[in-house]
Amino acid sequence: MTQRAALNRSLLALAGLVLLGGGLLVLFAGLDLYRRHDLIPPTGWPLITPDDVLLGSADRARWSSQGWWWWPAVIAALVLAATLALWWLLAQLSRRRPGALPVGGTPPQEGVELRDRALSNAIASEAGALPGVEHAAVRITGRPAHPRTRVKLTLTPQAAPGAALGALCEGPLSTARRSTGRPDIPTEVRLQVARHKPHRAE
């Protein structure tokens, strides 16, 4: 699981718990379940009876008397929460991953599809085993009909970048094109050299 996926699931779980808790509070108070089932809520528990409100007149007066900064602080907090929610939503909408690639072109041949994560893992595994490559990371982006491949290779200090790039194109990328039946998958390759540990002279 990527960090982005873990963050998304954590945010969704947190939002779900908040909505679930708020819904249960409103449900218990609206149906008067505390009185009907002789339940004793904790001290200071909000929304106990159907006539209760979340913020009563006394509470509003108490908070309003705190000074001029109170309402600007509330508005700023609401604006910040709305901005963060909008940013998260736009980040999800801008996430462009094909999900599944039809094998053999478009439309898919006999309904056979290949998951983008499986393809990227296969390319990364094969590329990581190439001579002079210390680590390989691969990501498939774009739409199912027009996928793109992004490859990041970390080379050893002794590796030749040209040789590594040629081996990548003739090996893992060529295998991926044959596997998917797509001879024209655009590929972006980034090369970087791993930092070698300094040698200590004795």
Side-chain angles (χ1 to χ4, degrees):
M1 182 187 301
T2 63
Q3 294 182 354
R4 186 173 186 175
L7 177 61
N8 288 341
R9 293 185 181 184
S10 300
L11 291 176
L12 287 175
L14 179 61
L17 290 176
V18 172
L19 293 176
L20 177 62
L24 290 177
L25 283 176
V26 174
L27 180 65
F28 270 62
L31 299 179
D32 202 11
L33 296 180
Y34 296 106
R35 182 184 61 81
R36 291 183 179 182
H37 298 281
D38 296 326
L39 299 176
I40 302 176
T43 304
W45 197 255
L47 302 179
I48 299 177
T49 65
D51 298 330
D52 285 344
V53 294
L54 187 61
L55 191 63
S57 300
D59 294 328
R60 293 197 302 269
R62 178 169 61 88
W63 286 111
S64 299
S65 63
Q66 297 297 318
W68 63 270
W69 58 269
W70 168 243
W71 287 113
V74 172
I75 295 175
L78 293 177
V79 170
L80 179 60
T83 302
L84 291 176
L86 180 61
W87 167 81
W88 180 78
L89 177 61
L90 293 178
Q92 305 313 305
L93 294 178
S94 64
R95 182 184 181 186
R96 299 186 61 181
R97 289 184 55 183
L101 301 176
V103 177
T106 304
Q109 183 177 3
E110 298 181 358
V112 180
E113 292 183 338
L114 178 63
R115 298 296 299 177
D116 62 339
R117 191 175 301 277
L119 179 61
S120 61
N121 289 340
I123 297 175
S125 177
E126 189 175 350
L130 294 175
V133 176
E134 184 174 291
H135 178 72
V138 180
R139 183 182 181 189
I140 308 296
T141 61
R143 300 178 180 178
H146 303 284
R148 300 179 62 89
T149 306
R150 294 183 179 180
V151 183
K152 183 178 180 181
L153 295 182
T154 302
L155 306 180
T156 61
Q158 297 79 18
L165 183 59
L168 175 68
C169 295
E170 297 175 2
L173 296 182
S174 178
T175 302
R177 292 188 178 98
R178 290 196 306 269
S179 301
T180 58
R182 295 174 174 271
D184 56 347
I185 300 179
T187 303
E188 175 186 339
V189 182
R190 294 186 180 184
L191 303 178
Q192 68 179 18
V193 179
R195 295 181 180 180
H196 58 83
K197 296 181 180 180
H199 298 284
R200 184 177 61 181
E202 296 181 357

